Amino acid sequence: STQSTWGSQCTATCGGGQKTRGRGLRVISMKNMGMCPESQQTVPCNENPCDCKLSQWREWKECSCSTNLKSRTRQILVPTTACEGKQLEETEPCASEECCIPLEWRPWGQCSASCGGGQKVRGRSFTIIGTQSNQAMCPESQQSKPCNENPCECKLSQWTDWSDCSCSTNQQSRTRQILVQTSACIGQKLKEADRCIPKDCCTPGNWSPWSDCTAPCGGGKKKRGRGMIMKGESKHITCPESEEVEPCNEDPCECKLSKWSEWSECPCTTKRRSRTRQVLVPTAACKDQQSKESERCIPQNCCTPLDWTPWSKCSATCGGGQRTRSRGMDKLSYDSYCPESQQTEPCNENPCSCVLGEWDAYTDCTCDHVRTRVKRVLVPGPNCKNPPQYNECSATGCPDNW
């Protein structure tokens, strides 16, 4: 048998179709016809879903004031399975002005108050289209706004003169009256009192001389007093002060200190030495004075260095290297202060000569048909020239116009 190629086109461009192919059979005997294999095959094709093509939405229809809705539609241009469930009609509520048309506002009414804040209102009517239920779609039919918000003046009389100071309460008072009653008068004080010193209830005597100061320096106090002649027997009589106190001798007292002692020996363990001084005349000024101080020091006899070892071999034969040497320490304690135990210095600072080795391998052939190679630098040095060597070659994979 001879198999043919898929000859038929797919039965659908999208959404799933079929295509077939066939082949001829050479039958040697009609009795063997039932033993022949299939002469035709069918397979699915173009199984990707088809897009649903829809028209644009039409313009909105006029609002139905009976349903308070308006609608618009669209059509299916290419029906496919993807069109199932597509919305072909949609509705939305009408705007309020389509079924309820407001008329002009009437003028504002008079203010409800001449001062202190009132309200004035205005209204308007509507033309309702459709059922009376469309009245619910109408906008506001009345507006209000504040007016005459300036406060009403509360007219009060002048305050009366202060009354005599009471020897029993030590207070005096005065009053005033409301001449024109308004809301602004609420909370206005019509009576007030003030503390006072009665002049004829308690007569002070003469001040006594000042007492001696309580301290010769550093700030002390001195005081004086006077007697009172009281009229009446009331316990509420208030007299002026009978005693005065004021500061004296406020200049600071000098703090007398001894000289600092000699510095102590430098310990091998703490490496800090100290010295002290004493207060000879204790005063308030001595409070912040330091009586002991310490400082860091270097112990002299705590660590004895041994002899230096010979210098080590230089780390480089040329071009600059380093060599080191060290020495041991004889310590009196583990944490004793010691001088340096190792030294480092430069060596063989003369420049090295340049030494080149064998040629490196050639680079890949470039599209300029050239390859290069350089010698390996074994020992770098001044004036180390290493020019590359070029060689012609045949390049592959280059553009035709190279």
Side-chain angles (χ1 to χ4, degrees):
S1 63
T2 301
Q3 186 83 29
S4 67
T5 58
W6 294 104
S8 64
Q9 291 184 346
C10 192
T11 58
T13 59
C14 61
Q18 289 185 335
K19 60 182 180 179
T20 60
R21 67 178 178 179
R23 62 180 175 181
L25 300 173
R26 180 180 297 171
V27 181
I28 299 175
S29 172
M30 292 301 293
K31 292 188 295 182
N32 297 330
M33 191 72 174
M35 299 176 63
C36 293
E38 60 181 354
S39 60
Q40 184 172 316
Q41 286 182 334
T42 301
V43 295
C45 55
N46 294 340
E47 294 177 313
N48 53 302
C50 299
D51 292 333
C52 179
K53 293 188 178 180
L54 299 170
S55 67
Q56 297 292 324
W57 286 104
R58 292 192 176 96
E59 296 294 329
W60 288 102
K61 294 181 180 179
E62 291 186 2
C63 182
S64 171
C65 289
S66 60
T67 61
N68 296 332
L69 294 173
K70 59 182 178 180
S71 63
R72 64 178 181 177
T73 60
R74 61 181 176 180
Q75 293 180 337
I76 296 174
L77 302 178
V78 179
T80 67
T81 56
C83 294
E84 294 179 6
K86 292 292 184 181
Q87 186 177 1
L88 301 180
E89 182 177 4
E90 64 177 3
T91 60
E92 70 174 21
C94 300
S96 60
E97 62 269 11
E98 296 186 48
C99 296
C100 182
I101 303 173
L103 304 181
E104 293 294 327
W105 287 102
R106 291 189 287 274
W108 288 102
Q110 290 186 346
C111 191
S112 60
S114 58
C115 62
Q119 293 278 325
K120 60 181 179 180
V121 297
R122 67 176 181 177
R124 62 179 175 181
S125 302
F126 301 94
T127 300
I128 299 174
I129 302 173
T131 63
Q132 195 65 23
S133 63
N134 290 336
Q135 186 173 359
M137 301 177 62
C138 295
E140 60 179 354
S141 61
Q142 183 171 306
Q143 286 182 338
S144 63
K145 67 178 182 179
C147 54
N148 294 340
E149 294 179 304
N150 52 303
C152 298
E153 184 180 359
C154 177
K155 292 188 178 180
L156 300 168
S157 67
Q158 296 294 321
W159 286 104
T160 61
D161 293 331
W162 287 105
S163 65
D164 293 335
C165 188
S166 171
C167 290
S168 59
T169 62
N170 298 333
Q171 286 190 338
Q172 58 185 357
S173 63
R174 64 179 181 175
T175 60
R176 63 181 176 177
Q177 294 179 339
I178 296 175
L179 302 179
V180 178
Q181 181 74 45
T182 68
S183 59
C185 295
I186 299 174
Q188 292 292 331
K189 187 188 292 187
L190 302 179
K191 182 177 181 180
E192 66 178 3
D194 191 19
R195 192 167 181 80
C196 58
I197 300 176
K199 293 182 179 180
D200 300 325
C201 301
C202 187
T203 303
N206 294 326
W207 287 107
S208 65
W210 286 105
S211 66
D212 292 335
C213 192
T214 58
C217 61
K221 291 181 180 181
K222 62 181 181 179
K223 63 181 178 179
R224 66 178 180 174
R226 62 181 174 178
M228 300 290 167
I229 300 173
M230 300 179 62
K231 295 180 181 180
E233 297 180 357
S234 175
K235 296 180 180 179
H236 299 285
I237 294 176
T238 301
C239 295
E241 59 183 351
S242 60
E243 186 177 77
E244 282 185 341
V245 179
E246 68 177 25
C248 55
N249 295 338
E250 294 179 305
D251 51 299
C253 298
E254 183 181 357
C255 179
K256 293 186 178 180
L257 299 167
S258 67
K259 292 184 178 180
W260 287 105
S261 64
E262 296 295 330
W263 285 106
S264 64
E265 291 185 1
C266 189
C268 294
T269 54
T270 62
K271 304 178 185 67
R272 295 192 71 86
R273 63 180 183 175
S274 62
R275 64 179 181 175
T276 59
R277 62 180 176 179
Q278 294 179 340
V279 176
L280 301 178
V281 179
T283 66
C286 296
K287 181 180 178 181
D288 296 326
Q289 293 296 325
Q290 190 174 5
S291 60
K292 184 177 181 179
E293 67 178 1
S294 64
E295 69 176 7
R296 190 165 182 82
C297 57
I298 299 176
Q300 299 298 319
N301 302 314
C302 299
C303 188
T304 304
L306 304 179
D307 293 335
W308 288 104
T309 61
W311 286 105
S312 66
K313 187 177 179 181
C314 190
S315 60
T317 57
C318 60
Q322 286 186 333
R323 64 178 184 176
T324 60
R325 68 175 180 177
S326 61
R327 62 180 175 180
M329 298 291 165
D330 186 6
K331 297 183 180 181
L332 294 182
S333 65
Y334 174 75
D335 56 350
S336 294
Y337 174 82
C338 296
E340 62 179 350
S341 62
Q342 185 169 325
Q343 287 182 339
T344 302
E345 70 175 10
C347 56
N348 293 340
E349 295 179 312
N350 53 303
C352 299
S353 300
C354 178
V355 179
L356 299 177
E358 297 296 329
W359 287 102
D360 282 339
Y362 278 108
T363 61
D364 293 337
C365 190
T366 66
C367 289
D368 291 327
H369 303 291
V370 175
R371 60 180 182 175
T372 60
R373 66 176 180 175
V374 294
K375 288 186 176 182
R376 187 183 305 274
V377 177
L378 300 180
V379 179
N383 302 321
C384 194
K385 297 181 180 180
N386 188 14
Q389 187 181 60
Y390 300 93
N391 188 18
E392 292 186 358
C393 58
S394 296
T396 60
C398 296
D400 296 337
N401 57 354
W402 187 266

